Amino acid sequence: MTDLVKVEIDAGVMTLTLARPEKKNALSNAMYGALADGLERAEKDPAIRVVVFQADGDSFTAGNDLQDFAAQATGSFTGERHVWRFLKALAHATRPLVAAVQGQAVGVGTTMLLHCDLVYVTPDARLTVPFVNLALVPEAASSWLLPARIGHARAYAMFALGEAVDGATAVAWGIANAAVEAGDLRARARAAADQLAKRPLGALTTTKRLMRDAEKIAALMDVEGAEFAARLQTAEAREAFMAFMERRPADFTKVS
């Protein structure tokens, strides 16, 4: 679907690499489609036992490409929104998911980590979920998963104030397993993936199923998705995206 997501399969491990470093790996609709394709393929292919997410450049991802958001807010977007396929694939994934995160992890770049089983970050990683800044609401079932992981007060500050979490804090709060220097990040994630690939897959998938309520997560994604889509059509969202396009601060005080 796109060459901006590289797919490699080796020794039972599928690696999905975001390859748009010049745009901080901002996720386009086509990139979401490629990620969804990868996860869906992993579920069907017995040779794929683990999936690793990683990214080229100095950032994991700047989140959703705001040009796509702006197009949706103004009604000029057409076609299938592959982000929903990707989110549902995360919700229903049975294969172990491993993430290697450096630099920025904005929006879905952070919320997708709540669906990963092992997460490694660099010390300078910056995890943010600034949905309210864009007049939007949480997605990827993060309105439940993030408070469940780190507590209401911390999650609300991340959502409503856009507060960033660094790598060490992400580990301390239980979002990530370990903080690893950038030069060792991919090797650490791959070593973990290789260990998982050698474990009995049936036991791994059953363990994951017992630890997660996939149906509840998917149902909450539907609720969040409807709210998210509605918010994209509001005057607040139009102001947020116009401000982005015009490179000025948004002024929500004049929006009724």
Side-chain angles (χ1 to χ4, degrees):
M1 181 170 285
T2 176
D3 58 1
L4 299 180
V5 176
K6 296 183 290 189
V7 182
E8 300 175 78
I9 300 173
D10 174 57
V13 178
M14 169 185 277
T15 302
L16 300 174
T17 304
L18 305 180
R20 197 187 184 191
E22 73 283 0
K23 295 291 186 181
K24 303 294 183 183
N25 295 312
L27 293 165
S28 67
N29 191 51
M31 291 172 72
Y32 279 122
L35 292 170
D37 288 346
L39 289 176
E40 290 167 0
R41 176 180 175 184
E43 290 297 307
K44 298 173 183 176
D45 188 344
I48 300 171
R49 302 171 69 86
V50 185
V51 177
V52 175
F53 297 106
Q54 63 184 28
D56 290 340
D58 60 7
S59 289
F60 184 60
T61 174
N64 200 94
D65 189 320
L66 290 187
Q67 297 285 353
D68 282 4
F69 271 166
Q72 293 168 53
T74 59
S76 60
F77 182 89
T78 58
E80 181 180 3
R81 292 194 63 210
H82 293 295
V83 61
W84 303 123
R85 285 181 54 226
F86 173 57
L87 295 182
K88 286 301 182 72
L90 286 176
H92 292 292
T94 64
R95 299 295 193 267
L97 306 180
V98 180
V101 180
Q102 77 279 7
Q104 295 183 63
V106 180
V108 70
T110 290
T111 60
M112 67 180 286
L113 304 181
L114 302 172
H115 299 272
C116 293
D117 303 290
L118 295 174
V119 176
Y120 300 95
V121 296
T122 56
D124 66 346
R126 288 179 59 81
L127 281 57
T128 56
V129 283
F131 299 113
V132 171
N133 291 1
L134 295 172
L136 300 174
V137 295
E139 35 79 318
S142 61
S143 60
W144 172 48
L145 294 175
L146 189 60
R149 185 77 63 90
I150 69 175
H152 176 94
R154 289 169 173 168
Y156 190 80
M158 290 185 71
F159 286 136
L161 300 178
E163 290 186 357
V165 173
D166 63 23
T169 303
V171 175
W173 288 2
I175 300 174
N177 293 84
V180 183
E181 293 301 326
D184 300 320
L185 180 66
R186 288 190 176 185
R188 180 67 176 274
R190 179 59 196 234
D194 285 339
Q195 289 184 56
L196 290 171
K198 295 173 183 176
R199 299 291 197 272
L201 182 59
L204 283 176
T205 56
T206 301
T207 297
K208 181 165 180 169
R209 175 172 56 80
L210 291 169
M211 293 175 69
R212 286 168 56 83
D213 189 338
E215 293 306 318
K216 179 177 178 178
I217 289 170
L220 180 55
M221 285 180 176
D222 288 338
V223 174
E224 289 175 341
E227 295 286 357
F228 198 101
R231 292 297 311 163
L232 278 171
Q233 304 306 313
T234 63
E236 288 179 341
R238 286 192 292 274
E239 167 59 16
F241 293 112
M242 285 299 295
F244 168 76
M245 300 294 290
E246 296 170 2
R247 299 183 182 276
R248 61 172 174 80
D251 182 0
F252 298 114
T253 63
K254 298 177 181 179
V255 179
S256 59

